[in-house]
């Protein structure tokens, strides 16, 4: 947790952005894994953490804009809580850490919101993503559960997005810390990438490392020889010489900030010519994207440029053919990279995705595309200093997708389907770095870059 002045200042700024009404930020509760009391590790809501800083379950924050009063709502520990969980700080002490003077029992939430509704005041809340919070909102707002999601406050959501997207100096320090942990996790994975080692052992070792120095992994680790499956969480494989291991993973540090890196390592560090060629296309897309990212440029244009590099690289290898601009217009590169170039990152690995991906990543000026591949870009708008983004181009050979395009003659003039058959056992290569946009361009969030060339990855993994 930062010192309380930071949270007080953030809440002051939020108050200026919301004209009137009652702002409600609901914290998360415990979530039962298989029975109440045997819970998933607690994860606080990120907006609650951003404005209140407290990672204790079952809290809510209320800001009455007109009365200029704020409250922390929660329940004091019972003797049973103390017996089972220890003598944790009281609610009053926790509120003081966040710079909040007024505390109320959680049950008062219904009264405050009920009085607000009677007085026809606007109740600003964020779209819930957990059923518990959806049910609480349904009860206190006296609305049907299925109307809760659509009734969220756009004014509050946009105010929060504006603030959270631009990372402050203290947030960048936290992100760097998460980056350092992610870096260590990936070095271990590269070293362990040897024939006969199980994917599960590597994924487990990485996760153990994240837990040993921070909160947890920032998302379930993606690690597989079958890297053509973009979010492959199946770790049942045993590494084999000749295959590639795609590893996309990061850490969440003790203050809830995320890192997210991807490297693809040849098992035992032995890359075939074909693997090197594809790796170098992805590496060029990564490096050129980083070189291009600066204030004033839309990330949508950086994504399109990555698609250009991938198309031209694959054309040099004889896998596609035709004019670059025509291929980009037709969305040809999406066959090989059916995902976006990157996303915002911060307290969430996909920052604020719960508030609405398009609200976070697009605006009046930069609209989301509808074409396959382009439409998957989570963040397309103009870059500003303080934006933190991932840059993660990839080339994948997904047999089912290739066969679908071939059968339906999609972009058939551009694609050498006959040549692609040889790549059905290739898997995929993704390379991912995390950057922060500066006044002039961008820099890595964590100063040390993971080995990224074939030569440097080989040095680590072929010992
Ligand atoms: N690194 C995983 C993702 O961006 O979804």
């Amino acid at each position: 947790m930062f010192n309380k002045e930071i949270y007080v200042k953030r809440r002051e700024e939020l108050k200026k952005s919301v004209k009137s009404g009652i702002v409600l930020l609901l914290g998360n509760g415990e979530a039962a894994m298989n029975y109440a009391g045997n819970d998933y590790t607690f994860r606080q809501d990120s907006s609650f953490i951003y404005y209140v800083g407290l990672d204790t379950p079952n809290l809510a924050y209320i800001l009455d804009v007109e009365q200029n009063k704020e409250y922390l709502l929660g329940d004091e520990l019972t003797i049973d809580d103390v017996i089972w969980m220890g003598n944790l700080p009281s609610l009053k002490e926790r509120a003081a850490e966040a710079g909040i003077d007024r505390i109320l029992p959680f049950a008062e939430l219904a009264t405050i919101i009920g009085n607000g509704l009677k007085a026809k005041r606007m109740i600003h809340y964020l779209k819930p993503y957990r059923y518990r919070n959806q049910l609480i909102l349904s009860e206190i707002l006296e609305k049907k559960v299925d109307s809760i999601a659509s009734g969220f406050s756009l004014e509050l959501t946009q105010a929060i997005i504006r603030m959270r997207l631009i990372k402050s100096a203290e947030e960048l320090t936290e992100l760097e810390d998460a980056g350092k942990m992610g870096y260590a996790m990936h070095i271990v994975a590269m070293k362990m990438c040897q024939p006969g080692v199980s994917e599960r052992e590597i994924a487990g070792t990485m996760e153990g490392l994240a837990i040993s120095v921070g909160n947890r992994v920032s998302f379930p680790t993606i690690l597989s020889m079958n890297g053509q499956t973009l979010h492959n969480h199946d770790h049942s494989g045993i590494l084999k010489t000749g295959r590639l291991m795609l590893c996309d993973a990061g850490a969440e540090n003790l203050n809830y900030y995320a890192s997210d890196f991807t490297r693809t390592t040849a098992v035992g560090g032995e890359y075939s010519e074909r693997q090197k060629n594809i790796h170098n296309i992805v590496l060029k897309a990564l490096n050129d994207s980083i070189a291009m990212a600066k204030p004033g440029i839309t990330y949508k244009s950086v994504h399109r440029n990555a698609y250009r590099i991938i198309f031209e690289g694959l054309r040099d290898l004889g896998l596609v053919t035709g004019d670059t601009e025509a291929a980009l217009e037709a969305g040809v590169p999406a066959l090989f990279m059916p995902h976006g170039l990157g996303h915002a990152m911060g307290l969430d690995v996909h920052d604020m995705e719960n508030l609405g991906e398009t609200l976070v990543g697009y605006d009046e000026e930069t609209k989301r595309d509808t074409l396959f591949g382009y439409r998957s870009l989570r963040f397309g708008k103009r870059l500003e200093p303080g934006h933190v983004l991932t840059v993660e181009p990839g080339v994948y050979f997904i047999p089912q997708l290739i066969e679908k395009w071939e059968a339906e003659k999609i972009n058939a003039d551009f694609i050498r389907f006959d040549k692609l058959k040889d790549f059905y056992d290739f898997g995929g290569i993704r390379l991912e770095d995390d950057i922060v946009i500066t006044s002039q361009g961008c820099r890595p969030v964590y100063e040390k870059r993971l080995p990224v060339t074939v030569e440097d990855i080989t040095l680590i993994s072929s010992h």
Side-chain angles (χ1 to χ4, degrees):
M1 185 170 180
F2 300 119
N3 60 43
K4 70 178 177 193
E5 285 74 24
I6 287 180
Y7 302 102
V8 170
K9 194 158 158 257
R10 287 175 179 173
R11 295 195 300 268
E12 282 294 325
E13 199 176 326
L14 182 65
K15 195 164 61 190
K16 287 188 209 138
S17 313
V18 179
K19 285 191 277 306
S20 61
I22 297 173
V23 171
L24 164 61
L25 296 177
L26 262 185
N28 282 334
E30 298 281 15
M33 201 160 51
N34 49 347
Y35 53 87
N38 202 29
D39 301 323
Y40 291 103
T41 310
F42 177 69
R43 176 53 157 90
Q44 185 56 286
D45 174 73
S46 297
S47 291
F48 192 88
I49 274 288
Y50 184 83
Y51 290 103
V52 184
L54 302 176
D55 63 354
T56 309
N58 306 327
L59 297 177
Y61 168 79
I62 288 273
L63 167 67
D64 186 319
V65 178
E66 282 92 336
Q67 289 189 17
N68 194 18
K69 282 192 181 149
E70 55 176 7
Y71 306 88
L72 181 71
L73 293 98
D75 293 321
E76 287 294 1
L77 297 173
T78 63
I79 187 64
D80 269 357
D81 294 329
V82 174
I83 291 168
W84 289 93
M85 296 186 307
N87 196 16
L88 301 170
S90 68
L91 190 63
K92 202 172 163 50
E93 286 164 333
R94 298 247 59 197
E97 287 178 64
I100 301 173
D101 299 331
R102 298 178 189 84
I103 57 169
L104 288 171
F106 196 83
E108 287 294 312
L109 188 57
T111 313
I112 295 180
I113 300 298
N115 290 340
L117 290 174
K118 272 191 218 124
K120 302 214 172 328
R121 299 184 66 199
M122 176 75 189
I123 312 294
H124 299 274
Y125 65 91
L126 301 175
K127 193 191 279 188
Y129 52 92
R130 288 196 181 186
Y131 290 122
R132 169 198 180 264
N133 287 4
Q134 207 168 348
L135 290 174
I136 291 175
L137 287 167
S138 161
E139 203 177 306
I140 61 177
L141 293 166
E142 298 161 29
K143 281 165 80 172
K144 286 206 164 119
V145 171
D146 57 10
S147 66
I148 289 297
S150 60
F152 75 93
S153 163
L154 187 62
E155 189 184 355
L156 176 66
T157 301
Q158 287 179 325
I160 291 180
I161 290 172
R162 272 196 303 277
M163 286 181 67
R164 284 184 53 193
L165 258 190
I166 306 295
K167 304 304 186 275
S168 60
E170 68 272 0
E171 289 188 284
L172 290 174
T173 304
E174 296 298 326
L175 284 158
E176 187 179 329
D177 183 47
K180 188 174 173 185
M181 295 172 182
Y183 179 96
M185 288 160 65
H186 276 271
I187 293 291
V188 164
M190 284 178 191
K191 288 186 177 165
M192 289 179 77
C193 183
Q194 305 301 327
V197 178
S198 80
E199 294 168 348
R200 188 166 286 131
E201 187 180 342
I202 305 176
T205 304
M206 293 175 83
E207 183 154 355
L209 192 52
I211 294 168
S212 71
V213 288
N215 273 330
R216 71 203 97 214
V217 288
S218 49
F219 58 95
T221 295
I222 297 159
L223 186 147
S224 177
M225 288 179 288
N226 290 309
Q228 77 281 5
T229 303
L230 303 182
H231 278 182
N232 201 335
H233 299 136
D234 173 21
H235 305 142
S236 61
I238 306 293
L239 298 185
K240 290 188 191 69
T241 304
R243 299 292 304 271
L244 295 165
M245 180 187 81
L246 186 150
C247 176
D248 181 345
E252 179 178 283
N253 86 338
L254 287 169
N255 263 339
Y256 280 46
Y257 284 86
S259 59
D260 181 3
F261 300 115
T262 308
R263 288 295 184 263
T264 308
T265 305
V267 175
E270 290 177 38
Y271 285 83
S272 67
E273 262 325 286
R274 203 170 68 156
Q275 289 167 341
K276 275 186 204 166
N277 290 336
I278 302 292
H279 186 105
N280 287 334
I281 294 170
V282 180
L283 180 58
K284 179 166 168 50
L286 175 67
N287 286 341
D288 286 19
S289 299
I290 292 172
M292 196 175 162
K294 63 175 178 199
I297 297 272
T298 65
Y299 210 48
K300 203 166 156 174
S301 65
V302 186
H303 172 98
R304 189 181 171 95
N305 191 58
Y307 265 7
R308 174 192 312 280
I309 292 163
I310 285 166
F311 177 77
E312 291 178 346
L314 295 175
R315 191 174 59 193
D316 290 345
L317 296 181
L319 301 182
V320 292
T321 181
D323 172 66
T324 304
E325 283 310 316
L328 288 174
E329 279 308 297
V332 175
L335 176 62
F336 305 97
M337 180 180 145
H339 63 73
L341 181 65
H343 50 81
M345 192 180 73
L347 283 165
D348 309 296
V349 67
H350 290 180
D351 213 15
M352 297 175 273
E353 199 153 290
N354 61 309
L355 301 184
E357 203 178 284
T358 304
L359 287 174
V360 174
Y362 294 86
D363 55 21
E364 277 305 307
E365 184 203 9
T366 312
K367 299 282 181 210
R368 194 165 191 147
D369 268 307
T370 51
L371 194 59
F372 179 65
Y374 291 101
R375 70 174 176 234
S376 293
L377 179 63
R378 291 189 159 91
F379 191 95
K381 65 191 181 191
R382 239 172 247 291
L383 301 176
E384 291 178 45
H387 283 165
V388 168
L389 296 162
T390 66
V391 192
E392 46 182 312
V395 169
Y396 315 86
F397 296 90
I398 307 170
Q400 297 86 338
L401 183 62
I402 296 169
E403 297 209 332
K404 178 177 160 62
W405 279 35
E406 184 174 20
E408 296 175 16
K409 301 191 176 14
I410 298 172
N411 290 322
D413 291 346
F414 294 97
I415 296 160
R416 304 286 312 271
F417 289 109
D418 53 330
K419 301 270 186 201
L420 293 183
K421 307 241 179 290
D422 292 342
F423 283 77
Y424 280 10
D425 61 353
F426 184 93
I429 293 183
R430 177 160 68 249
L431 300 171
E432 176 180 17
D433 286 334
D434 302 336
I435 57 166
V436 53
I437 305 298
T438 60
S439 58
Q440 302 295 324
C442 71
R443 66 166 176 83
V445 172
Y446 175 52
E447 59 183 354
K448 273 165 88 171
R449 191 182 196 192
L450 280 164
V452 71
T453 62
V454 162
E455 295 73 25
D456 287 348
I457 296 176
T458 301
L459 271 181
I460 301 272
S461 55
S462 66
H463 65 287

